[in-house]
């Protein structure tokens, strides 16, 4: 018998559990821990609420979760309820699949002003993550600035630009929908240090902007190189640049449109304001050997909201070596130390798609199989259950999650698949337990 503890119930966690079942079958016992009472991590609180088709991947995770060999252990937090060392005493292998839930910092003057957010917190706010329920961004200024040229920047811009009717079918939470309903934002500026040919945006996400009822994407034709340059690009980037060219060629916006201005060759240098953001100071850049360098020319964008979409990093865990520069756990192809591993974004940083975590999970289980060739005699889940009882931990099982899920679906507003609970105590109450 192999006793495996996986910390984190997002895609990396469930793909790793699936790999363990493939590797050992009935000889595997897998416990998947999560600090929240609800599973699925990034799928629940990171994927945009209007991308419901992507969230359908949880059906695959449910198939793994409902096997007798895999158990969800929710509402248990490493560092609060038990330590990594204690888990290692109980399980043959402990695999950290905690993702990269923390924002990378801009490292700019004024970053701590009010109404300046990282994308993890802002996305968590409109996706109902309990940690960000009280964020309450103020949306009464007409201009918002988004820093970054990836798909998360597009997600944030799209959510800010949508009409209320366009949220039909999404699971955006009620408090965010109310805030967006009252929003006065009419100009969204997306800052990118480099040019259109260097964006990390995909055609699907860019194309969604063109289909919004009141959004008007704006690209300065002068930022676009000669169209012949597109021939050297890969297919996805060539399509994305083609969409940017179409934005540059379209007619002027209508009076009631929300403009989404792509400000290329623009690097933020400071966030200005007295207690709260009032403007962003930006420096013009140029490309040298593919890198953005400042030209010395600066200008200011008046703005009442700034959202940094420049990447994520793994949250440190006590007694686990950490790679500060990489923003992930220090590891050698997933091995941290004997019996302790990491997988997914916690291993490689926030790169790749949801599906990229599947081969990553299978690869780490192969390493565990090499390192743990036989039964070590550790107690596994029986040992954890004794510890949980001694400490009075209020553990949430997958059957409890199914009751939470049922209640969220029942509470859904018209046209929405669910209304998420955004408070941990409410989630636990929905299980029917005290």
């Amino acid at each position: 018998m192999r006793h495996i503890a996986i910390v984190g119930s997002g895609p990396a966690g469930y793909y790793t559990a699936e790999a363990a079942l493939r590797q050992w079958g009935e000889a595997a016992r897998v416990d998947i821990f999560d600090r929240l009472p609800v599973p699925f991590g990034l799928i629940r609180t990171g994927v945009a609420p209007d991308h419901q088709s992507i969230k359908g991947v949880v059906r695959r995770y449910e198939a793994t979760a409902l096997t007798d060999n895999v158990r969800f252990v929710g509402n248990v937090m490493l560092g609060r309820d038990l330590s990594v060392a204690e888990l290692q005493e109980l399980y043959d292998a402990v695999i950290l699949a905690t993702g990269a839930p923390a924002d990378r910092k801009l490292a700019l003057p004024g970053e701590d002003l009010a109404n300046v957010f990282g994308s993890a917190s802002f996305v968590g706010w409109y996706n109902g993550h309990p940690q960000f329920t009280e964020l309450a961004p103020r949306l009464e200024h007409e201009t918002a600035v988004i820093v970054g040229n990836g798909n998360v920047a597009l997600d944030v811009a799209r959510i800010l630009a949508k009409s209320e009717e366009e949220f039909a079918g999404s699971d955006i939470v009620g408090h965010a929908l109310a805030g967006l309903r009252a929003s006065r934002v009419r100009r969204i500026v997306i800052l990118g240090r480099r040019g259109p040919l260097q964006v990390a945006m995909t055609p699907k996400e860019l194309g969604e902007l063109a289909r919004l009822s009141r959004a008007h994407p704006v690209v300065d034709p002068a930022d676009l190189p000669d169209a012949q340059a597109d021939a050297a690009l890969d297919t996805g980037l060539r399509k994305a640049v083609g969409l940017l060219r179409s934005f540059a060629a379209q007619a002027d916006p209508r009076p009631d449109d929300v403009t989404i201005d792509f400000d290329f060759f623009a690097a933020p240098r400071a966030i200005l304001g007295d207690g709260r953001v009032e403007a962003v100071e930006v420096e013009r850049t140029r490309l040298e050997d593919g890198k953005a360098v400042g030209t010395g020319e600066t200008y200011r964008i008046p703005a009442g909201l700034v959202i940094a979409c420049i990447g994520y990093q793994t949250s440190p865990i006590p007694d686990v070596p950490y790679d500060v520069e990489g923003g992930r756990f220090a590891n050698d192809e997933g091995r941290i130390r004997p019996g302790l591993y990491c997988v997914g974004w916690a291993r490689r940083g926030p790169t790749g798609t949801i599906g990229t975590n599947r081969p990553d999970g299978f690869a780490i289980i192969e390493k565990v199989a090499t390192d743990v060739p036989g039964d070590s005699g550790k107690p596994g889940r029986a040992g954890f259950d004794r510890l949980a009882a001694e400490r009075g931990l209020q553990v949430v099982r997958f059957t409890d999650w199914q009751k939470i899920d049922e209640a969220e679906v029942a509470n859904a507003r018209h046209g929405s698949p669910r209304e998420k609970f955004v408070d941990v105590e409410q989630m636990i109450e929905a299980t029917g337990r005290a």
Side-chain angles (χ1 to χ4, degrees):
M1 187 64 66
R2 308 308 196 284
H3 299 288
I4 309 297
I6 299 172
V7 182
S9 69
Y14 272 106
Y15 283 130
T16 303
E18 178 187 334
L21 295 182
R22 295 282 186 92
Q23 179 71 37
W24 294 296
E26 291 298 319
R29 291 292 183 272
V30 183
D31 282 355
I32 302 179
F33 293 82
D34 201 290
R35 63 174 178 157
L36 292 178
V38 292
F40 308 136
L42 172 73
I43 305 300
R44 179 179 170 92
T45 59
V47 171
D50 54 351
H51 284 175
Q52 289 297 305
S53 61
I54 296 175
K55 297 191 179 197
V57 73
V58 301
R59 288 189 288 273
R60 179 176 190 141
Y61 308 151
E62 286 172 348
T64 299
L66 292 171
T67 63
D68 293 336
N69 303 62
V70 175
R71 186 173 73 164
F72 176 65
V73 186
N75 199 39
V76 175
M77 183 175 176
L78 220 57
R80 180 192 67 190
D81 299 317
L82 77 169
S83 67
V84 172
E86 287 173 323
L87 272 185
Q88 285 198 260
E89 290 175 3
L90 298 171
Y91 294 86
D92 298 312
V94 175
I95 304 171
L96 304 178
T98 53
D103 285 302
R104 286 190 179 274
K105 295 292 186 182
L106 283 168
L108 294 178
E111 185 173 18
D112 295 329
L113 288 171
N115 236 36
V116 178
F117 306 104
S119 55
S121 57
F122 193 77
V123 170
W125 169 72
Y126 63 64
N127 259 332
H129 194 297
Q131 183 179 348
F132 304 112
T133 302
E134 305 299 328
L135 199 70
R138 298 177 64 176
L139 305 175
E140 67 266 26
H141 196 287
E142 72 169 17
T143 301
V145 171
I146 299 171
V147 182
N149 264 189
N151 282 343
V152 176
L154 292 181
D155 283 345
V156 171
R158 188 179 68 256
I159 294 299
L160 286 172
K162 275 194 164 190
S163 66
E164 182 176 359
E165 293 73 22
E166 287 174 310
F167 284 109
S170 80
D171 64 353
I172 189 168
V173 292
H175 66 250
L177 188 60
L180 291 165
R181 184 185 299 123
S183 171
R184 297 182 182 176
V185 173
R186 289 297 177 268
R187 183 187 182 215
I188 302 163
V189 181
I190 302 178
L191 295 181
R193 293 181 299 110
R194 298 188 293 171
L197 270 60
Q198 290 78 40
V199 296
M201 301 168 174
T202 56
K204 178 182 181 295
E205 278 69 21
L206 273 169
E208 287 181 281
L209 296 185
R211 295 190 291 273
L212 298 182
S213 64
R214 62 178 188 176
H216 187 93
V218 177
V219 174
D220 186 346
D223 287 337
L224 291 159
D226 190 280
Q228 293 179 344
D230 296 1
L233 305 176
D234 65 53
T235 303
L237 184 54
R238 186 165 61 250
K239 290 180 179 179
V241 173
L243 285 164
L244 292 172
R245 292 189 185 280
S246 70
F247 296 160
Q250 65 185 351
D252 292 337
R254 299 165 299 186
D256 292 335
D257 281 346
V258 176
T259 60
I260 302 175
D261 295 345
F262 289 85
D263 195 356
F264 293 111
F265 304 107
R269 293 295 179 237
I271 300 171
L272 311 174
D274 183 9
R276 181 183 168 198
V277 58
E278 298 170 8
V280 180
E281 184 172 275
V282 181
E283 181 180 14
R284 278 280 167 230
T285 65
R286 63 174 182 272
L287 290 182
E288 291 186 4
D289 298 325
K291 295 183 178 180
V293 296
T295 63
E297 176 190 351
T298 61
Y299 58 99
R300 293 184 177 183
I301 303 174
L305 172 68
V306 174
I307 304 161
C309 304
I310 59 170
Y312 304 110
Q313 59 188 11
T314 298
S315 299
I317 293 175
D319 193 36
V320 178
Y322 191 79
D323 175 3
V324 175
E325 185 175 345
R328 58 190 179 185
F329 297 122
N331 71 94
D332 180 9
E333 295 185 346
R335 291 183 174 99
I336 298 174
R337 62 174 179 246
L340 183 63
Y341 306 83
C342 56
V343 69
W345 284 7
R347 179 188 75 81
R348 68 181 188 272
T351 60
T353 64
I354 290 169
T356 307
N357 292 294
R358 185 175 186 271
D360 210 22
F362 277 73
I364 205 67
I365 286 299
E366 288 180 5
K367 291 179 173 63
V368 174
T370 299
D371 298 345
V372 188
D375 191 343
S376 67
K378 291 188 176 182
R381 61 176 55 168
F384 170 76
D385 289 346
R386 286 193 294 271
L387 183 147
E390 291 168 2
R391 297 184 180 176
L393 301 184
Q394 195 167 31
V395 177
V396 173
R397 306 294 188 206
F398 200 81
T399 51
D400 296 320
W401 148 245
Q402 290 176 311
K403 295 176 183 177
I404 297 171
D405 180 40
E406 184 180 341
E408 289 185 339
V409 171
N411 292 338
R413 64 183 178 276
H414 179 70
S416 175
R418 69 177 62 245
E419 182 62 45
K420 296 176 190 172
F421 292 111
V422 298
D423 178 80
V424 168
E425 291 303 319
Q426 289 179 339
M427 294 174 185
I428 293 173
E429 285 176 10
T431 69
R433 291 158 48 184

